[in-house]
Amino acid sequence: MAVPQKQHVSEYIDFIPPADVIESSTGIKLLLDMPGATAEGLSVNIEEGELKLQADSGIVRCDKTVRYKRSFQISDQVDVKNVKAKLDNGVLTLTLPKHEHARIHKVKIEN
């Protein structure tokens, strides 16, 4: 009995994953639902003020692989050299810290 060969899927269905955006005085946190994505198949790039995400899901629909794609405009307040990404159980968490000069600083008021 012949073993069925895994089909190679060459076409994609692009899907924009839902995201939660949480901003604080020290930075921005993005949470994206990306079931099936793996760290190896995920790319996160920042170029010219745009954060771009892409990941293969491993999910096949109608003979096409579902691919996650999303982009965000980010301000120059974000310290792009210290952006962190973590993928855990299909949820991608991106932490975008703000530069020190862009953070809110409380001013002491004297009596």
Side-chain angles (χ1 to χ4, degrees), residues 50-83:
E50 188 174 24
L51 175 90
K52 295 180 182 180
L53 311 167
Q54 182 172 307
D56 289 341
S57 69
I59 299 168
V60 177
R61 296 282 185 255
C62 301
D63 294 329
K64 296 181 180 181
T65 299
V66 175
R67 177 173 58 190
Y68 300 114
K69 288 181 91 172
R70 183 119 191 210
S71 63
F72 298 89
Q73 295 295 317
I74 57 173
S75 77
D76 57 0
Q77 293 181 348
V78 172
D79 181 0
V80 296
K81 292 183 180 181
N82 289 305
V83 170

Side-chain angles (χ1 to χ4, degrees), residues 34 37-43 54-57 67-68 87:
M34 303 174 82
T38 63
E40 297 79 27
L42 174 66
S43 88
Q54 182 172 307
D56 289 341
S57 69
R67 177 173 58 190
Y68 300 114
L87 184 63

